[in-house]
Amino acid sequence: MGRHVRGFTNRASASGRLHPYNGPLRLRRAVFCLLLWLKQGRSGFGFDGHFVKVWLYGSCGFCGFSVLLFHGLEYAPAEHGAVIASLMPLISALITWVTKGKRPDPATLICALVAIAGVVLVISRGNIDNLLQLSAIKGDLMIILGVTCWVIFSMGITQVPGWNASRYTAMSCCAGLITIVAVNLIAGWRGAAYLPTLSDVRMVSFEISYLILAAGVLAVSCWASGVARVGAINALLFMNMIPVSAFIIAFLQGKVIDPMELYGMLLVVSALLANNLLPRIRPARQQQPTCS
């Protein structure tokens, strides 16, 4: 969780020196492939007829997410990104409703509405007029789209049966690199991207190393291991602490935090906690013996 929160701060710092299209996320590909080789050998490298699907999901996760997030953090504070990222479980439920017709239960819908209200408070800082000014919210909108891309990528593993998390991550990263290269070429042709100089890279060498090794490879591996040990529902409880930790870090860095941002963050955390705890309470009540 700490790596996730710190990752937003380092992305914001790096985006000031490196253009979003030249982000260090592409460099994780080699590390993911090395881990896959160590775990499965040559047998893990292959698409087994799933190339188009893996390419689409990899493009969402490793191109759409990273480019939109880096662009968004040029205009929005890192703590806003942390609050929006914590909505991933609710975004996943809404996408499942739209794509598969599986409607969330009423409690989840209520939690989603409360969380959305909290995000609106964070983005607008309590001033509704800010929502009508694209210049004031464009960074947050990019982050929302980027987080949605990551949710779609995360849900894609169910579409490639027989693949484990290591193989899906490595192969989708490789396939997504095609889209990243294409986007870089188009952006360079349009004059929207440029190759960073050695001095630019040197200025953010720590941030790049952190994003590749800690916030990328180590965080993904630890998260997958943690979910396997404590279960998905318990793991999601830790996601609720991401916005809280982000605002604490921002405060310690001396940033001025608007009270409305805090109220919005508390709404989001409360909604996520309620959405996570309600499924536990219901089975417990159903198992209680009834008096005859």
Side-chain angles (χ1 to χ4, degrees):
M1 181 193 69
R3 293 183 180 92
H4 198 152
V5 175
R6 183 64 182 169
F8 282 103
T9 305
N10 283 339
R11 284 187 179 98
S13 176
S15 65
R17 288 279 176 177
L18 299 182
H19 199 276
Y21 299 106
N22 294 315
L25 297 177
R26 292 172 294 165
L27 302 178
R28 297 179 187 172
R29 178 176 63 95
V31 183
F32 284 132
C33 289
L34 176 61
L35 293 176
L36 179 60
W37 178 277
L38 294 175
K39 188 172 183 178
Q40 293 186 230
R42 293 181 61 182
S43 62
F45 292 88
F47 293 98
D48 299 338
H50 299 297
F51 174 78
V52 175
K53 286 192 291 187
V54 174
W55 168 66
L56 289 173
Y57 288 120
S59 297
C60 279
F62 293 98
C63 182
F65 171 71
S66 58
V67 170
L68 288 168
L69 184 62
F70 265 89
H71 264 307
L73 289 174
E74 289 183 334
Y75 305 102
E79 51 271 20
H80 285 200
V83 171
I84 295 170
S86 68
L87 295 177
M88 286 185 184
L90 296 179
I91 293 175
S92 177
L94 295 177
I95 291 177
T96 301
W97 185 11
V98 172
T99 58
K100 299 183 179 179
K102 186 179 179 181
R103 180 177 178 178
D105 59 58
T108 299
L109 288 177
I110 293 174
C111 290
L113 291 175
V114 173
I116 291 172
V119 170
V120 170
L121 268 182
V122 170
I123 293 175
S124 66
R125 295 179 175 87
N127 186 356
I128 302 300
D129 291 339
N130 288 337
L131 297 178
L132 304 178
Q133 301 176 12
L134 182 60
S135 59
I137 64 171
K138 62 180 179 181
D140 299 286
L141 292 178
M142 290 179 185
I143 295 174
I144 291 173
L145 290 175
V147 167
T148 302
C149 284
W150 186 258
V151 171
I152 294 172
F153 162 76
S154 301
M155 297 172 69
I157 192 171
T158 61
Q159 303 301 313
V160 281
W163 285 31
N164 57 31
S166 299
R167 184 180 184 185
Y168 175 72
T169 302
M171 299 310 296
S172 60
C173 184
C174 291
L177 184 64
I178 298 173
T179 306
I180 294 175
V181 171
V183 170
N184 269 275
L185 291 175
I186 294 172
W189 173 60
R190 299 285 296 179
Y194 55 88
L195 287 174
T197 64
L198 288 177
S199 61
D200 288 335
V201 175
R202 196 177 300 114
M203 289 294 293
V204 290
S205 57
F206 171 78
E207 287 83 353
I208 291 175
S209 301
Y210 185 94
L211 287 174
I212 295 171
L213 299 176
V217 177
L218 187 59
V220 170
S221 302
C222 289
W223 178 259
S225 176
V227 171
R229 290 174 179 270
V230 305
I233 293 179
N234 291 325
L236 287 176
L237 279 174
F238 291 93
M239 292 287 289
N240 303 330
M241 292 303 298
I242 291 176
V244 178
S245 303
F247 274 95
I248 292 175
I249 292 174
F251 176 78
L252 294 177
Q253 290 177 336
K255 294 182 180 179
V256 178
I257 300 175
D258 191 282
M260 288 299 176
E261 291 179 302
L262 291 178
Y263 298 150
M265 181 267 294
L266 291 175
L267 274 179
V268 171
V269 172
S270 300
L272 292 172
L273 281 173
N275 186 59
N276 188 278
L277 294 175
L278 283 175
R280 305 164 185 262
I281 297 173
R282 290 170 185 165
R285 288 181 176 178
Q286 293 173 357
Q287 293 174 3
Q288 289 179 355
T290 57
C291 297
S292 55

